[in-house]
């Protein structure tokens, strides 16, 4: 088996961010080989207690150093970290990084070629720059909760933090582009704009767009006789014909073309809901798979991890989902370690930065570092 594809080996990232967006970004970089040093306050990233399972997933492959950035002595540690790094990520509200002395203007004096990425709710400029918010706010303001996700249901939020994770993904792309350019860069990423980008790509900027333009009544989620939920992915005509052969009551002139199925979507959805409740999920899956109709069971990630397809493609390692790409016949990324304990690597990192035992003891005594 070829060795894992780790193209970012040799890149060091200092990540001052917390919660989801920044850590998600640096998790991608870490999976692909970058060395990520997670800089946490003495009390730790609040994400450790807010959503512990996501914290664990997004902070694998990282080392943790706990520093009180408000303490004057922290400046020496930050300077040495930045000198030895190529990338800095921060996720504070605009102005906070500057007050802490870790803003781009300050750190590029230490490392002129630095790629520095600020991730914030609404961006570093504009009338909303200091507005508080979280993922659901950004998604709503961007247009992501205006339209439904199913034919007969009202708009609802996803279980996924769309803006946070998309923003983290876009940040990773921008960081890699800046590294490729090789000049150093200041990147200002807005989570609101990340959500807006997705919404505009999906729904356009037409104010009069059909709110169901992205929906199809036979491309939806349905409950079965046993209470399990199945997804049908019927878009193309040949899949519809395959399905109708199994469910002849749908051979109705009202549903004889895609346009008619959409025009009569309310009636079709109601009939489909009744039809799908007629069999168990297991029975439907066996029948539909045998007749080339796209179908899948709604499961949890833990259940999905046991699927032969993900097992065959080595999508899970050490209890974590891996970066979802193969490169040149090798799986991209690897899971080298789980999430670090708060300050687990403080002493180790300080030694690497050139501080001796006496200096480290002073840092700990004055509470600028937690070891």
């Amino acid at each position: 088996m070829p060795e894992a594809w780790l193209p970012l080996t040799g890149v060091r990232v200092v990540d001052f961010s917390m919660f989801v967006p920044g850590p998600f970004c640096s998790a991608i970089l870490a999976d692909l080989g970058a060395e990520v040093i997670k800089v946490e306050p003495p009390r730790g990233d609040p994400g450790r207690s807010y959503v512990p399972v996501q914290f664990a997933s997004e902070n694998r492959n990282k080392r943790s150093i706990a520093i009180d950035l408000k303490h004057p002595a922290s400046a020496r540690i930050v300077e040495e970290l930045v000198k030895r790094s190529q990338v800095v990520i921060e996720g504070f509200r605009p102005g906070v990084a500057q007050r802490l002395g870790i803003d781009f203007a300050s750190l590029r004096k230490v490392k002129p070629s630095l790629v520095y990425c600020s991730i914030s709710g609404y961006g570093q400029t504009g009338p909303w720059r200091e507005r508080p918010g979280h993922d659901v706010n950004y998604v709503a303001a961007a247009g992501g909760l205006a339209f439904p996700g199913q034919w007969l249901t009202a708009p609802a939020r996803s279980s996924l933090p769309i803006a946070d994770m998309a923003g983290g993904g876009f940040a990773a792309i921008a960081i890699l582009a800046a590294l490729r350019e090789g000049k150093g860069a200041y990147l200002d990423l807005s989570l609101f704009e990340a959500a807006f980008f997705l919404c505009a790509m999906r729904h356009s900027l037409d104010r009069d767009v059909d709110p169901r333009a992205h929906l199809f009544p036979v491309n939806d989620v349905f409950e079965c006789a046993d209470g399990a939920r199945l997804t049908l992915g019927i878009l193309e005509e040949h899949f519809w014909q395959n399905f109708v052969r199994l469910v002849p009551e749908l051979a109705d002139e009202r549903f004889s073309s895609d346009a008619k199925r959409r025009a009569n979507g309310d009636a079709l959805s109601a009939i489909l809901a009744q039809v799908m409740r007629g069999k168990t999920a297991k029975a439907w899956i066996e029948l539909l798979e045998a007749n080339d109709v796209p179908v899948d069971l709604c499961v949890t990630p833990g259940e999905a991890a046991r699927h032969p397809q993900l097992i065959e493609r080595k999508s899970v390692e050490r209890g974590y989902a891996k970066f979802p790409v193969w490169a040149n016949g090798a799986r991209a990324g690897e899971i080298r370690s789980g999430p670090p304990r708060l300050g687990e690597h403080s002493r180790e990192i300080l030694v690497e930065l050139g501080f001796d035992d006496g200096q480290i003891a002073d840092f700990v005594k004055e509470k600028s570092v937690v070891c």
Side-chain angles (χ1 to χ4, degrees):
M1 183 69 185
E3 292 186 4
W5 187 63
L6 300 170
L8 297 183
T9 299
V11 173
R12 176 179 275 184
V13 179
V14 179
D15 185 1
F16 293 102
S17 68
M18 297 179 280
F19 288 107
V20 175
F24 182 72
C25 169
S26 60
I28 293 172
L29 304 178
D31 280 6
L32 294 178
E35 177 194 350
V36 176
I37 295 178
K38 182 176 180 65
V39 180
E40 301 186 66
R43 292 186 178 181
D45 179 343
R48 286 182 177 273
S49 58
Y50 272 87
V51 188
V53 292
Q54 185 162 8
F55 177 91
S57 294
E58 290 184 343
N59 289 285
R60 76 275 188 99
N61 289 340
K62 302 176 186 178
R63 294 192 292 166
S64 168
I65 181 171
I67 307 174
D68 182 358
L69 294 174
K70 296 178 181 179
H71 196 289
S74 69
R76 296 169 57 200
I77 300 170
V78 170
E79 180 175 338
E80 294 303 322
L81 271 175
V82 173
K83 281 181 182 178
R84 294 165 173 79
S85 304
Q86 291 77 44
V87 178
V88 166
I89 300 170
E90 66 92 3
F92 299 107
R93 288 171 71 172
V96 173
Q98 183 177 16
R99 291 198 293 273
L100 294 173
I102 59 168
D103 56 300
F104 177 63
S106 299
L107 299 189
R108 72 173 172 178
K109 295 175 183 176
V110 176
K111 182 89 169 189
S113 61
L114 186 67
V115 173
Y116 186 108
C117 183
S118 291
I119 302 175
S120 62
Y122 299 96
Q124 300 296 309
T125 60
W128 275 11
R129 64 185 296 270
E130 296 184 1
R131 183 184 176 95
H134 281 293
D135 182 83
V136 69
N137 307 115
Y138 314 139
V139 173
L145 293 177
F147 306 127
Q150 292 180 251
W151 192 269
L152 289 179
T153 60
R157 69 179 298 187
S158 169
S159 69
L160 302 177
I162 300 298
D164 286 353
M165 298 183 81
F170 291 140
I173 293 169
I175 288 168
L176 295 178
L179 287 173
R180 171 67 176 81
E181 187 179 40
K183 298 178 180 179
Y186 176 66
L187 307 173
D188 168 9
L189 186 134
S190 157
L191 299 173
F192 171 44
E193 289 173 42
F196 176 68
F197 184 85
L198 295 185
C199 293
M201 282 286 196
R202 177 63 161 167
H203 301 294
S204 85
L205 300 181
D206 181 358
R207 292 193 175 193
D208 298 317
V209 67
D210 177 359
R212 283 179 170 173
H214 59 297
L215 298 178
F216 299 83
V218 200
N219 186 62
D220 215 329
V221 183
F222 300 94
E223 187 174 301
C224 301
D226 54 354
R229 294 180 301 131
L230 284 183
T231 58
L232 294 178
I234 300 173
L235 294 179
E236 297 87 343
E237 186 64 26
H238 65 278
F239 288 139
W240 172 254
Q241 294 301 331
N242 291 348
F243 188 60
V244 169
R245 280 193 288 273
L246 303 174
V247 189
E249 57 263 49
L250 294 175
D252 186 308
E253 176 60 27
R254 293 177 298 166
F255 314 137
S256 59
S257 70
D258 178 66
K260 290 182 178 180
R261 288 191 287 276
R262 291 172 64 81
N264 297 289
D266 290 358
L268 177 55
S269 287
I271 294 171
L272 282 167
Q274 183 177 2
V275 166
M276 296 303 292
R277 290 194 196 99
K279 292 183 175 64
T280 64
K282 182 175 184 295
W284 273 122
I285 290 173
E286 291 176 354
L287 180 63
L288 297 176
E289 285 186 340
N291 288 274
D292 197 34
V293 176
V295 61
D296 272 294
L297 182 66
C298 295
V299 299
T300 66
E303 292 167 332
R306 297 194 291 271
H307 195 285
Q309 178 69 16
L310 293 180
I311 293 172
E312 170 69 23
R313 288 180 59 81
K314 304 183 187 304
S315 299
V316 176
E317 183 178 344
R318 298 177 66 169
Y320 298 98
K322 297 186 69 178
F323 188 77
V325 172
W326 283 66
N328 306 319
R331 185 80 202 196
E334 66 179 0
I335 305 299
R336 301 180 294 281
S337 64
R341 298 187 306 277
L342 174 63
E344 179 179 348
H345 305 97
S346 294
R347 176 172 291 277
E348 175 183 299
I349 293 169
L350 290 171
V351 170
E352 291 175 7
L353 297 179
F355 295 104
D356 60 32
D357 287 345
Q359 291 171 309
I360 294 172
D362 287 341
F363 288 143
V364 173
K365 183 178 180 180
E366 62 194 11
K367 297 182 180 180
S368 59
V369 173
V370 174
C371 290

